[in-house]
């Protein structure tokens, strides 16, 4: 194992976890669409930010969870209408 190159200045994780056992999950709450729209919004502004899908971030019952690293910002109940504000937060 060796350290990898760090090609991005920020990494934004969007939980797209899908559960098949009936428990709530971010995928049921629009996470896949949210990920795509956020990724497209950020891509046109800053290529040094990576928006990626994530597995469970432990907050599925509260709605879609987004984590911004290295800022260590955790957001819950993120919805499509939050994207403009989220983009400002991510790109600052």
């Amino acid at each position: 194992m060796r350290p990898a190159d760090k090609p991005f200045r920020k990494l934004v994780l969007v939980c797209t976890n899908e559960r098949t056992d009936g428990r709530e999950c971010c995928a049921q709450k629009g996470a896949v669409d949210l990920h795509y729209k956020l990724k497209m919004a950020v891509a046109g502004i800053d290529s040094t930010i990576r928006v990626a899908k994530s597995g469970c971030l432990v907050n599925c019952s509260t709605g879609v969870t987004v984590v911004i690293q290295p800022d260590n910002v955790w957001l819950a109940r993120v919805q499509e209408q939050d994207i403009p504000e989220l983009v400002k937060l991510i790109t600052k």
Side-chain angles (χ1 to χ4, degrees):
M1 176 172 34
R2 68 173 182 81
D5 294 334
K6 184 179 171 185
F8 301 102
R9 110 182 138 80
K10 288 192 180 183
L11 174 63
V12 180
L13 301 174
V14 179
C15 179
T16 58
N17 188 47
E18 186 171 0
R19 293 180 173 157
T20 58
D21 62 3
R23 292 183 296 155
E24 290 182 278
C25 63
C26 290
Q28 296 168 339
K29 299 173 182 177
V32 175
D33 283 343
L34 178 79
H35 165 264
Y36 177 77
K37 290 175 182 176
L38 180 58
K39 184 174 183 164
M40 293 300 103
V42 171
I45 297 171
D46 190 334
S47 63
T48 67
I49 297 171
R50 170 77 171 159
V51 178
K53 294 177 185 176
S54 170
C56 186
L57 293 169
V58 190
N59 291 313
C60 283
S61 64
T62 64
V64 180
T65 300
V66 174
V67 177
I68 305 167
Q69 294 294 5
D71 303 345
N72 199 30
V73 173
W74 288 65
L75 303 165
R77 296 187 174 123
V78 179
Q79 298 177 5
E80 187 176 331
Q81 62 261 31
D82 298 322
I83 290 175
E85 184 179 351
L86 191 52
V87 168
K88 287 179 190 175
L89 182 63
I90 294 166
T91 58
K92 72 175 185 178

